[in-house]
Amino acid sequence: MANPTDEPIEGGANSALTKELLRVNRALRTLSAGNHTLLRASGEQELLRDMCQVIVETGGYRMACVAYAEHDDAKSIRWMVCIGTEMEFLESHHFTWAETEVGRTATGTAIRTGEPVVGRNLLTDPAYAIPAYPRLRKQMIQSGYASATAFPLRVEGEVLGALVMGAVEPDAFNAEEVKLLQEMADDLAYGIANLRMRVQHRAAQATIARLAYYDALTGMPNRTLLLEQLEEAMQAAKQQHRSLALLHLEVGRFHEINKVLGYRAGDELLQELGRRLAGAVQDDEMLARVGEAEFALLLPNGGAEHAIQVAQRLVSLLREPVMVSGLMLDANPRIGIALFPGHATDADALIRRANAAMHQTKPVRGGYAMYTGGQEQEHIRRLALMGDLHRAIEHNELRLYCQPKVAIASRRVCGAEALVRWQHPQHGMISTTEFIQLAEQAGTITPLTNWMLEAAFSQSYAWQEAGLARALAVNLSAHDLYDPGLIDRIRGLFSTWGLDPALIQFELTESALMADPAAALETLTRLKQLEVELFVDDYGTGYSSLSYLQMLPVDGVKIDQSFVMPMMQSSDSEVIVHSTIELGHNLGLKVVAEGVESQAIWERLAGLGCDVAQGYLISKPMPAEQFQAWESNWSQLSG
Ligand code: C2E
Ligand code: MG
Ligand code: MG
């Protein structure tokens, strides 16, 4: 008797075929809907969820989950999305893809092997009666699936995790269906990788934008961003008939700090000052780092009065000493202010003018300055002068001047200082202090020093020929101390002119020596090997200690004129001059006083035992060719 539940053989084959077709059809439907999902997804979690949803809703599977393989010690499996079964259950089951008993689940095995793992008749097949399964089976019954397949999610040979699908029928997932569904899992894996790449790409783009617009040290906007924002702010201010202000701020003596304490200390100082500034600005204001030790602050509202108040506040904030490398440093800030629309109507010009104003600040006037019309012209003139200096050297516009030095006790001329003068064809005589400073700042002092050395050696030779053996002292700048060719050049000049080393001396300012004490010591030592006399110039202005001076191979100090000139009126100055003479003598150094302008000063210096005087009382600097005549006149008068 035929079993009523048994289907006819033929009908059975047909129905089996139909079932197969239905399954392939369902897999194809899922694959195609999955493709749409892939194209639409913009985030990883969203993609996983939508994919599982499509599998269940369009594909008609009972359950769909995605698990990721963790690379921790336990090789755990992290469930990302679950539709059709409870995520909490899966999480509590502590799945793993390790090669262990509990790691032999379909998901674990698919991740480990990179091959799909098909489980049919999960509820009845004794093969699934392993210890890991009883709880799982209960869950399967509750969720209503009897077969499941785990498909590895593979990207370029690496398995990210698995896509797990469950079907109601115990014998689902035949070969054709598995092939199609693995294709979908591959697409999903590709989609995941693609989204991750997009995230990385976006992060890289953000980094590039950050590098282009922000300063790495302080995290502040940089000059480029400031310029963009300033342009926008100026546009807005124009439309709303408002004014705005730009403050340009510079940290003083930053190069000195960098050189003496090192770049790390310099960076620390800037970071601390940056923090202070950032803490002091309002939300609508923009602070930027626009140069090595320069900041700018854009005040989108308010005019002169407001800008001055802010500048005063910032100056006092930055004047609070900063602790760097165990030292209390004074940031010595200066701030220039320029206003829109009063001072400039385009962003570039406003920045330039705030900068020009900054160069005009004086500590006694509060450390800040408002732009006034002439400053920029002055700035431009100084820049043009720099360009002219090279030409001046080539066209022989420089002149050698000499100022006598006289031994106080004997009133005898004991030497002269070589001082450069520049007779500009249009601007006339240029201030020496100004163009020396400009050349030092621009790093173009070397050709000038070379010109002076040539001039001094040839002058000294001329005097020697005339029977007048006078020591001529040449000034060297901080830059010259680092010039690797300096010593050889001087040695070469001695050979060329055949001069006695006693006829050439060198003066180095105390601040130049302090800029890099180690390098200074090395150069002085090598200069000293040429047997020339060396003097510390402008002594008293450079904060050096006597113990440091003691280490240097120098023969004398020149007390700066700013102490000598007021010594009759100011007891502070007198004390400095007095003690420098005493301490200098104790160290075995000659002491020269600069800026001796009156007889009274001369006599006081004589009383204090000062060795040499130099100043307008004796003579102003004069063209070198007049020196001989002046000297014979002086000798007659004091003879
Ligand atoms: P310095 O080396 O301290 O030179 C002394 C300066 O004081 C000279 O200014 C001189 O004219 C001035 N002076 C001398 N006696 C008196 C006085 O009694 N009263 C007043 N008020 N001033 C007096 P000068 O020639 O303008 O030079 C300024 C500075 O420029 C020099 O200071 C020196 O540091 C630098 N300098 C001058 N020539 C050269 C050079 O060829 N090379 C380098 N590197 N620096 C130079
Ligand atoms: Mg000098
Ligand atoms: Mg001096």
Side-chain angles (χ1 to χ4, degrees):
M1 213 180 109
N3 185 334
T5 56
D6 277 351
E7 293 187 23
I9 305 290
E10 231 191 271
N14 258 342
S15 136
L17 199 64
T18 314
K19 245 165 92 192
E20 294 282 295
L21 277 173
L22 280 174
R23 284 182 192 162
V24 168
N25 200 21
R26 140 173 108 174
L28 277 171
R29 210 165 53 227
T30 317
L31 185 60
S32 137
N35 277 338
H36 284 284
T37 307
L38 271 180
L39 291 175
R40 279 196 312 269
S42 59
E44 188 168 331
Q45 188 64 29
E46 176 199 341
L47 169 67
L48 303 183
R49 197 194 54 235
D50 290 356
M51 204 64 161
C52 290
Q53 206 125 28
V54 158
I55 293 168
V56 172
E57 285 169 12
T58 313
Y61 293 93
R62 176 51 56 101
M63 171 279 272
C65 307
V66 175
Y68 279 175
E70 298 281 18
H71 291 270
D72 53 0
D73 288 344
K75 297 192 171 168
S76 9
I77 285 174
R78 183 153 58 101
W79 294 94
M80 303 300 295
V81 175
C82 252
I83 292 186
T85 189
E86 272 173 41
M87 182 91 132
E88 291 78 21
F89 168 78
L90 293 173
E91 279 168 352
S92 71
H93 200 73
H94 298 299
F95 279 80
T96 168
W97 54 281
E99 176 85 77
T100 58
E101 181 93 345
V102 280
R104 287 196 202 128
T105 57
T107 312
T109 311
I111 291 175
R112 198 169 52 251
T113 60
E115 294 298 330
V117 178
V118 182
R120 294 201 188 85
N121 300 310
L122 296 175
L123 301 176
T124 52
D125 190 331
Y128 298 105
I130 54 172
Y133 272 81
R135 273 184 71 214
L136 264 179
R137 276 187 166 165
K138 204 170 143 209
Q139 178 68 13
M140 287 168 205
I141 295 166
Q142 268 176 17
S143 307
Y145 64 93
S147 57
T149 297
F151 299 92
L153 294 170
R154 298 172 299 209
V155 182
E156 289 173 1
E158 199 202 342
V159 181
L160 302 177
L163 169 67
V164 187
M165 296 168 51
V168 179
E169 319 84 78
D171 57 347
F173 301 110
N174 63 12
E176 193 61 21
E177 194 179 3
V178 167
K179 202 171 134 230
L180 286 167
L181 292 174
Q182 178 62 57
E183 213 173 291
M184 187 184 68
D186 288 345
D187 289 349
L188 175 61
Y190 170 79
I192 294 168
N194 198 27
L195 285 176
R196 286 184 184 175
M197 211 148 71
R198 257 196 257 168
V199 169
Q200 276 174 0
H201 190 71
R202 270 202 295 272
Q205 272 178 331
T207 308
I208 291 167
R210 207 174 49 246
L211 289 176
Y213 283 116
Y214 291 87
D215 163 53
L217 182 69
T218 59
M220 282 182 196
N222 63 12
R223 178 181 283 275
T224 312
L225 187 52
L226 173 79
L227 197 64
E228 279 182 17
Q229 304 265 316
L230 182 58
E231 270 161 8
E232 274 175 34
M234 285 169 88
Q235 201 66 37
K238 192 173 172 180
Q239 276 162 10
Q240 296 157 19
H241 307 291
R242 280 189 292 107
S243 63
L244 64 77
L246 186 74
L247 274 58
H248 195 125
L249 185 154
E250 188 180 62
V251 179
R253 308 218 330 254
F254 184 72
H255 278 281
E256 215 173 306
I257 291 168
N258 251 351
K259 267 195 179 156
V260 177
L261 298 179
Y263 288 101
R264 187 171 299 178
D267 285 355
E268 260 178 59
L269 175 69
L270 289 178
Q271 281 171 325
E272 171 55 25
L273 297 179
R275 271 193 292 275
R276 279 191 199 174
L277 288 171
V281 305
Q282 308 290 317
D283 284 347
D284 62 338
E285 299 168 355
M286 181 191 192
L287 182 66
R289 183 177 175 211
V290 294
E292 191 180 26
E294 291 169 53
F295 299 92
L297 179 63
L298 164 61
L299 305 176
N301 281 303
E305 205 179 330
H306 175 58
I308 288 174
Q309 278 170 4
V310 174
Q312 286 171 334
R313 195 153 41 84
L314 295 185
V315 168
S316 67
L317 187 74
L318 297 188
R319 275 187 180 162
E320 286 290 312
V322 185
M323 182 71 125
V324 171
S325 303
L327 291 175
M328 292 300 266
L329 297 181
D330 179 359
N332 221 350
R334 46 185 197 159
I335 299 181
I337 306 168
L339 301 167
F340 165 86
H343 296 151
T345 48
D346 74 273
D348 248 347
L350 196 68
I351 292 180
R352 250 191 352 258
R353 292 185 172 163
N355 186 291
M358 187 187 76
H359 285 283
Q360 301 302 312
T361 56
K362 300 263 179 331
V364 284
R365 284 197 231 129
Y368 67 89
M370 180 74 72
Y371 175 74
T372 57
Q375 288 166 352
E376 203 181 13
Q377 268 62 43
E378 177 58 19
H379 208 60
I380 292 169
R381 190 185 72 88
R382 285 155 65 96
L383 279 178
L385 266 188
M386 275 325 304
D388 284 359
L389 186 57
H390 268 288
R391 199 213 47 210
I393 294 173
E394 277 168 25
H395 291 72
N396 216 17
E397 288 168 22
L398 299 187
R399 294 279 168 272
L400 172 67
Y401 271 49
C402 294
Q403 189 181 32
K405 295 180 186 176
V406 173
I408 296 180
S410 64
R411 295 186 63 84
R412 278 249 197 42
V413 177
C414 59
E417 176 169 8
L419 295 161
V420 67
R421 292 292 178 265
W422 179 6
Q423 178 73 39
H424 192 285
Q426 279 101 46
H427 306 304
M429 200 65 114
I430 311 282
S431 147
T432 302
T433 317
E434 183 188 20
F435 79 83
I436 292 281
Q437 219 176 53
L438 279 175
E440 281 173 344
Q441 280 165 6
T444 53
I445 194 85
T446 312
L448 188 143
T449 304
N450 291 346
W451 187 91
M452 273 306 269
L453 284 170
E454 299 274 353
F457 271 82
S458 104
Q459 183 59 55
S460 186
Y461 176 77
W463 284 341
Q464 184 182 272
E465 287 296 279
L468 198 77
R470 291 279 158 258
L472 187 56
V474 178
N475 289 284
L476 295 178
S477 287
H479 255 283
D480 297 322
L481 289 176
Y482 316 122
D483 175 1
L486 178 78
I487 308 285
D488 285 343
R489 213 171 302 124
I490 294 172
R491 190 180 290 122
L493 283 166
F494 272 117
S495 312
T496 308
W497 296 97
L499 286 185
D500 189 287
L503 294 182
I504 297 290
Q505 303 174 337
F506 292 100
E507 296 186 7
L508 299 112
T509 62
E510 189 189 14
S511 53
L513 297 174
M514 288 308 285
D516 187 345
L521 177 61
E522 195 192 319
T523 308
L524 290 197
T525 308
R526 295 181 59 209
L527 268 176
K528 197 64 209 162
Q529 286 164 357
L530 301 175
E531 296 172 48
V532 293
E533 288 201 353
L534 304 176
F535 289 82
V536 178
D537 204 350
D538 299 351
Y539 183 75
T541 57
Y543 316 101
S544 67
S545 68
L546 271 165
S547 60
Y548 170 65
L549 272 191
Q550 219 169 345
M551 282 167 37
L552 297 177
V554 293
D555 303 276
V557 287
K558 297 183 75 179
I559 309 173
D560 192 65
Q561 57 196 34
S562 63
F563 304 109
V564 176
M565 289 193 301
M567 71 183 279
M568 302 307 290
Q569 302 86 279
S570 147
S571 60
D572 281 356
S573 301
E574 214 260 1
V575 167
I576 292 172
V577 173
H578 186 167
S579 54
T580 308
I581 294 171
E582 216 161 274
L583 291 167
H585 284 164
N586 286 345
L587 291 172
L589 300 173
K590 269 181 225 164
V591 182
V592 182
E594 295 184 310
V596 180
E597 289 191 345
S598 68
Q599 193 59 36
I601 294 177
W602 170 285
E603 270 149 29
R604 177 65 61 87
L605 289 168
L608 294 173
C610 185
D611 305 293
V612 176
Q614 180 183 348
Y616 292 176
L617 173 70
I618 302 149
S619 168
K620 286 195 170 184
M622 65 191 98
E625 48 296 353
Q626 294 173 12
F627 194 86
Q628 227 172 315
W630 173 87
E631 189 176 348
S632 46
N633 194 28
W634 169 270
S635 308
Q636 274 172 13
L637 288 176
S638 36

